[in-house]
């Protein structure tokens, strides 16, 4: 774990959409939470299940080396990532960002900032999608 000051410095050097090469370090519950990625920093990377394909067998496996984009970084001292390779990205990504994060294209290249927690509307949308997957 790094200090808050170190994290602020690291986060201050990140840009939305910045490409980082990473190695999938752990896939703890395929299909459930996401994947942990070693991106060569003193903090780890994480790809949320919501950005990955619905079928866990399409996810990158431990040891996979590929490129990821910086998607978010908040107070959790973890760089949230989005797969660059379309095979590891949810199939409806364009529709997903239009619903959940419509400002993403405009954010690319801007410094990462902590925009706070997910809104109630965003959470409801994500839950609806997850429930639809379980049917």
């Amino acid at each position: 774990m790094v200090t808050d000051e170190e994290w602020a410095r690291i986060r201050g050097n990140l840009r939305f959409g910045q490409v980082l090469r990473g190695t999938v370090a752990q896939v703890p519950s395929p299909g459930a939470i996401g994947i942990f990625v070693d991106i060569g920093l003193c903090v780890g990377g994480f790809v949320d299940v919501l950005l990955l394909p619905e079928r866990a067998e399409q996810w990158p496996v431990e040891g996979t080396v590929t490129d990821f984009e910086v998607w978010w970084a908040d107070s959790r001292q973890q760089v949230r990532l989005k797969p660059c390779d379309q095979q590891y990205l949810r199939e409806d990504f364009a529709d997903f960002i239009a619903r959940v994060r419509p400002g993403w294209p405009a954010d690319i290249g801007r410094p990462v900032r902590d925009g706070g927690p997910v809104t109630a509307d965003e959470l409801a949308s994500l839950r609806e999608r997850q429930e639809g997957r379980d049917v």
Side-chain angles (χ1 to χ4, degrees):
M1 187 159 170
V2 299
T3 66
D4 289 341
E5 293 79 21
E6 289 172 307
W7 176 234
R9 182 185 54 75
I10 292 166
R11 195 171 75 189
N13 289 322
L14 296 173
R15 300 285 182 259
F16 289 116
Q18 179 180 350
V19 176
L20 302 173
R21 169 88 27 174
T23 302
V24 176
Q26 187 179 17
V27 185
S29 299
I33 65 167
I35 60 175
F36 293 93
V37 181
D38 180 348
I39 51 176
L41 297 174
C42 56
V43 295
F46 181 75
V47 180
D48 191 278
V49 63
L50 295 170
L51 297 177
L52 295 164
E54 284 190 36
R55 294 185 19 224
E57 55 271 6
Q58 294 177 308
W59 291 15
V61 298
E62 289 179 17
T64 300
V65 177
T66 190
D67 290 334
F68 298 90
E69 290 183 44
V70 174
W71 178 253
W72 201 258
D74 56 25
S75 62
R76 289 175 276 197
Q77 296 189 4
Q78 183 181 69
V79 180
R80 295 298 181 123
L81 303 167
K82 176 186 93 54
C84 289
D85 190 329
Q86 293 295 314
Q87 72 175 326
Y88 301 133
L89 190 61
R90 65 181 291 147
E91 293 83 5
D92 66 341
F93 182 74
D95 293 335
F96 174 77
I97 61 169
R99 287 189 321 270
V100 176
R101 193 167 172 194
W104 169 247
D107 283 341
I108 295 174
R110 292 186 177 169
V112 172
R113 66 197 185 299
D114 185 354
V118 175
T119 68
D121 288 342
E122 290 170 337
L123 186 57
S125 173
L126 299 175
R127 282 187 178 150
E128 286 174 12
R129 181 178 181 278
Q130 188 68 35
E131 289 169 3
R133 181 186 302 172
D134 296 338
V135 174

